[in-house]
Amino acid sequence: ARWLECSLRASGVLGSWRVHVGMHRKPSMRQLHVHLLTADFRSERLKTKRHWNSFNTRFFLPLAQALCMLEATGSADAEARREGTSALEHELLQSAPMVCPPCSAAAGKDVTARTMPDLKRHLATSEHKRNCCVS
């Protein structure tokens, strides 16, 4: 996946956005697949809290971590097997607040949104854009 990121960055498609590459703990498709997303998360397809949290909580495994888990255990998510996938899925996708990881890291505290419209407004701010760009 890194070769794809490098290729897209060299072509100018990614601009200065940071990139997230990884897998969901409980895949949404039967086929093994990897997600490559820009850190700005500005998309008309991002419509629900569940969707946001699927990429911004422990439900989303960075690719290196997922590969290590696959090699060590044969599963991309030993934690979900221990805790029960449905309980973990509910906790991370439904119950967890919508936290913006790059802005929270920059602020030293959780930057959250209560509703999707609030989140969309946050994603459009210059602060969010600054926190999601490669330095």
Side-chain angles (χ1 to χ4, degrees), residues 13-62:
V13 172
L14 295 179
S16 60
W17 294 115
R18 287 192 179 118
V19 174
H20 298 282
V21 180
M23 302 167 66
H24 285 130
R25 289 180 182 272
K26 181 179 176 188
S28 56
M29 298 170 53
R30 186 177 175 123
Q31 299 84 0
L32 180 65
H33 63 281
V34 174
H35 296 272
L36 186 140
L37 307 121
T38 55
D40 66 322
F41 281 99
R42 294 197 60 199
S43 170
E44 292 177 9
R45 295 174 189 236
L46 180 65
K47 296 179 181 178
T48 66
K49 174 182 181 177
R50 179 183 180 89
H51 200 208
W52 171 263
N53 281 347
S54 75
F55 293 106
N56 290 285
T57 64
R58 293 182 302 123
F59 195 76
F60 187 73
L61 292 170

Side-chain angles (χ1 to χ4, degrees), residues 17 38-44 46-47 52 56 98-103 111-113 115-132:
W17 294 115
T38 55
D40 66 322
F41 281 99
R42 294 197 60 199
S43 170
E44 292 177 9
L46 180 65
K47 296 179 181 178
W52 171 263
N56 290 285
M98 289 186 291
V99 176
C100 178
C103 294
V111 174
T112 63
T115 66
M116 283 308 292
D118 289 346
L119 179 63
K120 296 283 188 166
R121 280 189 290 280
H122 169 74
L123 296 177
T125 65
S126 58
E127 173 191 14
H128 178 75
K129 292 175 186 171
R130 186 175 48 253
N131 291 331
C132 292

Side-chain angles (χ1 to χ4, degrees), residues 71-91:
E71 289 174 358
T73 68
S75 171
D77 192 19
E79 179 182 2
R81 285 189 305 178
R82 279 194 313 273
E83 295 182 20
T85 303
S86 60
L88 185 67
E89 185 176 12
H90 177 76
E91 172 196 339

